Amino acid sequence: MSGLIQQLNNTGLPQEFMLKAIFYIIAASTVFFAIRMVISPNVFHGAIFLALALIGIACIYLYLDAEFLAVIQILIYVGAIVTLFIFAIMLTASIQDRTIKQTNEQVLLSAIVAFVFLCFFVTIIRRNPWQAAASKAEGLALAQLGRLLMSAYVLPFEVISLILLAALVGAIVIGKARK
Amino acid sequence: MIPQSHFLILSAILFCIGLFGALTRRNAVGILMSIELILNAANINFITFNKFLGSSDGLGQVFAMLVIAIAGASAVVGLALIIAIYKNAKTIFADKINLMKW
């Protein structure tokens, strides 16, 4: 983030304004890509739009001082999970055909439900008086995060490894060809 | 600089888009993609609260990592299930898969 701020200082505009403008552009494009992912009739295009939306979310992590998580997001989500989705789309045929309906008959009802949820969330968020930003100046350093993961939060870390092992075994068992 | 509520509203918008996608998609892969979007919205919330409320203990970031790992595991198992169903039933449309419906 500091390198970006250095570069922005060279432009004439005030740095605060530039950072804010970039944030809102990224947020708007993330929402746009997410909507395109949900409504695109071709699932393959949906996977590409999902990748773009995930990159936008990684940029938002940078604004929240979570640089390591932004890198993780791009490596794991865009690098691995979206690739996996594209593999699954390729392996299951006849879905790129535009004549097949891709949405079920509950579109209107689901849109109402999602909109009501959104209004509910926004009302609650607007009503709550969030305290001003805490005085925490520095983000969490990567070395500190790694030390925390191995000392205070070793239980979630072990749970992750157990879940990944179970998922690995489960995927092999399910995906194995039946004799 | 950017208020906390704007991050939370962005996360709420992404959650609702993912909810809409999970409810309306017929394709099982599309449903899984929407669920990934919902998990990402939760992640934005975790990291936002870690920055604005937390002290320097990094609990939100650690749990965001946990969520990313669980999302990866769920995607792997879900796609294995989808491909196994496709081998048997020759379809991946969720409304056509009614094998266990009474």
Side-chain angles (χ1 to χ4, degrees):
Chain A
M1 211 62 199
S2 56
L4 181 67
I5 290 169
Q6 279 289 323
Q7 280 194 348
L8 285 177
N9 279 336
N10 297 335
T11 63
L13 287 161
Q15 169 198 320
E16 278 278 292
F17 174 76
M18 285 293 283
L19 282 176
K20 268 189 173 179
I22 292 171
F23 171 78
Y24 290 116
I25 290 168
I26 290 171
S29 52
T30 304
V31 170
F32 171 75
F33 289 138
I35 290 174
R36 286 299 304 270
M37 180 207 104
V38 165
I39 64 170
S40 84
N42 188 335
V43 187
F44 184 81
H45 292 172
I48 303 295
F49 281 120
L50 176 67
L52 291 170
L54 293 173
I55 291 173
I57 292 171
C59 296
I60 285 167
Y61 289 170
L62 287 179
Y63 274 87
L64 292 165
D65 292 333
E67 288 89 357
F68 179 62
L69 274 169
V71 175
I72 286 276
Q73 168 95 357
I74 290 179
L75 272 178
I76 293 183
Y77 269 111
V78 186
I81 294 183
V82 173
T83 315
L84 209 61
F85 279 130
I86 289 173
F87 261 111
I89 292 167
M90 299 283 191
L91 283 174
T92 52
S94 80
I95 51 173
Q96 300 206 7
D97 194 353
R98 287 188 76 95
T99 55
I100 297 175
K101 215 161 135 289
Q102 287 291 345
T103 52
N104 57 19
E105 60 275 6
Q106 307 163 1
V107 175
L108 187 65
L109 196 64
S110 309
I112 293 170
V113 168
F115 188 71
V116 168
F117 260 94
L118 182 63
C119 294
F120 175 68
F121 288 140
V122 170
T123 314
I124 287 183
I125 291 167
R126 295 303 287 267
R127 199 171 283 175
N128 195 336
W130 301 104
Q131 60 197 45
S135 58
K136 217 179 97 196
E138 293 284 306
L140 206 61
L142 180 53
Q144 199 186 346
L145 194 64
R147 212 166 288 127
L148 280 171
L149 211 53
M150 272 298 160
S151 58
Y153 304 126
V154 73
L155 181 64
F157 184 76
E158 293 298 329
V159 169
I160 290 176
S161 52
L162 208 61
I163 287 171
L164 287 179
L165 181 67
L168 197 65
V169 175
I172 290 170
V173 169
I174 294 167
K176 202 171 61 178
R178 199 167 294 156
K179 294 209 177 93
Chain B
M1 39 188 228
I2 297 154
Q4 184 184 5
S5 57
H6 290 191
F7 289 105
L8 297 179
I9 287 172
L10 172 68
S11 151
I13 292 170
L14 288 177
F15 174 83
C16 290
I17 294 169
L19 181 69
F20 175 76
L23 288 176
T24 56
R25 277 279 188 201
R26 284 181 71 210
N27 195 321
V29 181
I31 294 173
L32 267 181
M33 293 198 304
S34 306
I35 290 172
E36 297 295 320
L37 198 63
I38 292 176
L39 289 170
N40 266 284
N43 254 348
I44 293 179
N45 263 1
F46 268 127
I47 300 174
T48 306
F49 284 119
N50 181 59
K51 178 175 159 71
F52 286 97
L53 299 184
S55 51
S56 59
D57 60 353
L59 182 62
Q61 292 203 20
V62 171
F63 270 88
M65 263 185 246
L66 183 77
V67 170
I68 289 177
I70 288 174
S74 76
V76 168
V77 176
L79 291 177
L81 279 173
I82 288 169
I83 289 174
I85 289 170
Y86 182 72
K87 273 190 213 154
N88 286 328
K90 298 288 170 228
T91 183
I92 55 165
F93 289 119
D95 47 1
K96 289 272 167 60
I97 303 167
N98 48 12
L99 206 67
M100 288 167 78
K101 205 186 256 179
W102 181 58

